[in-house]
Amino acid sequence: MAQMGSTGHGGDGLGSDIQLQWSRIRTRLRTEFGPAVYKNWFKSMTLVGIDGKAAVIGVPTRLRRDWIEQHYRERIRAFWQAENKAIADVQIVIFAGAAQAGEPDEPAPALAAVNGAEAEERDVGAPLNPRFTFANFVVGNPNRFAFEAARRVAESAASPQWSVPFNPLFLFGGVGLGKTHLMHAIAWQIRCNNPSRRLIYLSAEKFMEHFVRALRQNNTMPFKKMFRTVDILMIDDFQFIGGKDSTQEEFFHTFNELMDLNRQIVISADKPPTELANVEERMRSRLAWGMVADVHPTTFELRLGILQSKAEQMKAALPLRLLEFLAQRITSNVRELEGALHRIVAHAQLVGREITVEVAEEVLPDLLRKAARRVAIDEIQKRVAEHYNIKLVDMHSARRARAVARPRQVAMYLCKLMTQRSLPEIGKKFGGRDHTTVIHAVRRIEELRAIDKTLAEDLDILKRILETGERGAP
Ligand code: ADP
Ligand code: MG
């Protein structure tokens, strides 16, 4: 492939040696970071020229420039050094002639200089993960509402007519369920579609850190000014703001001022506003005024969808049965699911053959063991009693009315199915019943399950609740 062919800079004043070196560097980047990253970030790079000791590399957009600058510049520089001792530095610039790789991006401004405020915001804000986009987010029932809310906010904030559909947007949910992903997706969309918007994204911890440093240096004015003049303020993991009074106070003022100015605020946390124990009451109630969107625990369908999408992105052809197996067994959160997938794909590449469920069991013993949740008899009794709306004591009582006897049999059946306990042990936990009673219960439920659709559904629901520790699907 002619490396420079598509950019039309083949015949410029750069020596052919330099062109060759550049072409080798591109090949190395592709090898080191893989075709997906290459396509996303490096393909559109153009060698603009050599400026003294620096190779000047053009990219079509500010987004690309910032990202390559932050994440890959050092590597590119090292490659240049290896190719050509005379080149000691690399400059990444926005260059309107650089090839457009076919993803949505802002139109290229001509070699724009970064203004002061922008540079500051970038220092304070956390870097965005290029994988965390709306396009890469798999939507299912548990996260649909949060996804739609995030999209509305991003679209409104990026549109030329400023509007604030709901403010603040408060995203909450358990660990590893995609809150940070959605936050970054909002930020990417705004940065790509309307780079003139001033946006700061950072964690609550970083917010505190910056504030405390400003306090210590007796120099809080720039801090206040910066945070109070942004268009969009995004704070991740807000639960960590708790406790520190002065930071809370500062955040409260920032928050109120931005709200008064009709600026967009987006916050994520692991709990709803009302349950943020360390946060002052006045702050909690203000947070709940806007849109509060819950990211629910994943369902089997969503986990399978995520696995399929990620396997496809990784260009890994894995058997459906294997993906289903993982979606069934790894229910804690999406991060662990991804971890499992990465390990399996790495293993597949290493051994060069198809991965079966059996191989996966060997590769992932720790994740799977953790996932096979230990369920206790007590917990089964409690959940089953809840489900059928009977008293917990009736699990142990001698009452034989159908309304309590049937749920008790269901519970015994689930104990046999889901725990390692022996029949006598199970009987003992059900008011000292004989093990033959347990056998009878198990058989009866097995029979009924085949003919009674409602019971079969009840069993599925209860199993899922017990397997995941969830309180059922949202
Ligand atoms: P949280 O901030 O809620 O703890 P993250 O946003 O960091 O979770 O998500 C953990 C990982 O799972 C990330 O790599 C993220 O991309 C991935 N992930 C979570 N939900 C989804 C989803 N619906 N589709 C695709 N990837 C997801
Ligand atoms: Mg997070």
Side-chain angles (χ1 to χ4, degrees):
M1 179 183 114
Q3 296 287 340
M4 305 292 283
S6 60
T7 60
H9 290 272
D12 59 18
L14 297 172
S16 63
D17 279 350
I18 291 280
Q19 292 296 357
L20 252 170
Q21 288 160 11
W22 175 230
S23 135
R24 280 197 294 266
I25 288 167
R26 292 172 68 108
T27 309
R28 282 174 155 216
L29 287 169
R30 184 202 289 274
T31 314
E32 178 162 325
F33 295 100
V37 172
Y38 182 86
K39 181 165 169 282
N40 262 340
W41 298 104
F42 302 129
K43 195 163 170 251
S44 60
M45 293 191 311
T46 306
L47 182 60
V48 179
I50 304 291
D51 181 6
K53 290 185 164 201
V56 182
I57 293 169
V59 292
T61 62
R62 191 178 80 158
L63 168 72
R64 280 165 199 285
R65 181 202 59 198
D66 291 354
W67 189 258
I68 293 172
E69 177 82 39
Q70 274 182 28
H71 296 267
Y72 303 113
R73 181 166 168 269
E74 206 29 54
R75 204 69 196 119
I76 298 173
R77 200 187 66 79
F79 283 155
W80 268 112
Q81 273 271 281
E83 284 289 341
N84 187 338
K85 289 261 170 306
I87 294 178
D89 200 2
V90 164
Q91 274 173 32
I92 315 283
V93 298
I94 298 169
F95 181 65
Q100 292 280 356
E103 74 177 56
D105 250 332
E106 79 268 30
L111 287 168
V114 188
N115 69 40
E118 218 179 280
E120 253 173 54
E121 279 160 31
R122 262 192 297 125
D123 286 347
V124 169
L128 301 176
N129 186 325
R131 287 190 306 108
F132 290 2
T133 59
F134 284 124
N136 284 343
F137 193 82
V138 181
V139 186
N141 284 336
N143 59 26
R144 179 164 290 118
F145 186 73
F147 173 83
E148 293 298 346
R151 265 238 309 243
R152 276 283 299 284
V153 163
E155 266 160 25
S156 309
S159 101
Q161 292 87 33
W162 178 256
S163 74
V164 177
F166 17 76
N167 210 9
L169 169 62
F170 191 99
L171 299 169
F172 81 92
V175 176
L177 296 181
K179 301 181 300 292
T180 297
H181 189 136
L182 285 176
M183 299 276 273
H184 286 207
I186 295 174
W188 277 127
Q189 179 157 345
I190 297 169
R191 285 212 181 142
C192 289
N193 294 344
N194 199 336
S196 64
R197 294 272 185 259
R198 302 189 52 197
L199 177 150
I200 294 187
Y201 162 86
L202 81 176
S203 66
E205 268 177 313
K206 280 273 175 275
F207 180 87
M208 289 192 323
E209 234 176 80
H210 285 296
F211 181 63
V212 170
R213 188 175 317 141
L215 272 182
R216 211 182 297 128
Q217 293 166 350
N218 245 329
N219 187 22
T220 55
M221 273 320 284
F223 177 94
K224 287 182 205 273
K225 186 154 165 264
M226 176 169 50
F227 279 97
R228 292 178 194 190
T229 53
V230 294
D231 296 313
I232 303 108
L233 177 61
M234 308 184 74
I235 308 261
D236 207 348
D237 288 321
F238 190 74
Q239 68 273 14
F240 293 124
I241 202 124
K244 317 280 191 315
D245 287 349
S246 58
T247 345
Q248 271 204 49
E249 184 76 22
E250 177 59 26
F251 181 78
F252 189 66
H253 290 308
T254 306
F255 181 94
N256 286 336
E257 208 156 313
L258 290 174
M259 290 288 281
D260 287 347
L261 292 166
N262 202 29
R263 302 291 159 75
Q264 180 72 53
I265 297 173
V266 184
I267 288 174
S268 90
D270 64 353
K271 303 177 196 65
T274 46
E275 286 172 29
L276 290 167
N278 289 329
V279 174
E280 284 175 43
E281 169 53 31
R282 55 179 186 167
M283 188 71 235
R284 285 205 298 256
S285 62
R286 286 221 68 175
L287 287 173
W289 281 4
M291 172 65 76
V292 178
D294 184 346
V295 188
H296 294 273
T298 55
T299 54
F300 173 78
E301 289 72 30
L302 178 58
R303 289 194 293 276
L304 186 61
I306 291 173
L307 284 170
Q308 283 172 324
S309 141
K310 307 235 158 171
E312 196 175 303
Q313 273 170 39
M314 296 166 78
K315 300 221 182 341
L318 300 175
L320 180 62
R321 205 168 88 77
L322 172 65
L323 298 183
E324 283 173 347
F325 169 77
L326 294 175
Q328 210 138 45
R329 291 291 295 273
I330 302 178
T331 56
S332 47
N333 67 48
V334 183
R335 193 171 295 138
E336 295 208 332
L337 207 58
E338 277 189 323
L341 192 64
H342 281 126
R343 265 158 66 180
I344 284 183
V345 171
H347 187 85
Q349 280 165 356
L350 210 64
V351 300
R353 63 187 164 92
E354 185 167 279
I355 299 289
T356 59
V357 168
E358 290 68 36
V359 177
E361 279 179 319
E362 275 169 40
V363 180
L364 307 167
D366 48 333
L367 278 177
L368 294 175
R369 203 173 316 124
K370 193 170 151 206
R373 212 172 151 269
R374 291 274 283 277
V375 187
I377 291 179
D378 298 343
E379 191 182 354
I380 295 177
Q381 292 177 327
K382 185 160 159 271
R383 296 291 198 199
V384 173
E386 269 169 23
H387 183 78
Y388 287 103
N389 212 6
I390 63 170
K391 295 202 191 78
L392 187 56
V393 292
D394 279 330
M395 287 289 160
H396 315 273
S397 76
R399 285 182 62 201
R400 305 180 71 154
R402 168 74 74 81
V404 297
R406 183 74 80 231
R408 198 188 291 135
Q409 287 180 324
V410 165
M412 288 185 204
Y413 166 84
L414 289 170
C415 288
K416 180 71 193 97
L417 194 74
M418 302 186 76
T419 72
Q420 305 291 325
R421 301 306 198 81
S422 66
L423 295 170
E425 278 176 310
I426 295 173
K428 206 167 143 224
K429 289 278 224 160
F430 283 81
R433 285 178 161 80
D434 192 74
H435 77 278
T436 54
T437 311
V438 183
I439 295 178
H440 174 73
V442 173
R443 290 217 183 111
R444 186 80 191 115
I445 297 299
E446 267 166 3
E447 280 163 22
L448 285 173
R449 161 171 223 171
I451 50 171
D452 182 342
K453 204 158 161 271
T454 314
L455 180 71
E457 273 170 20
D458 284 348
L459 290 172
D460 281 347
I461 295 171
L462 282 163
K463 256 173 67 185
R464 193 163 74 209
I465 293 173
L466 288 160
E467 268 164 8
T468 59
E470 289 165 20
R471 312 213 49 135

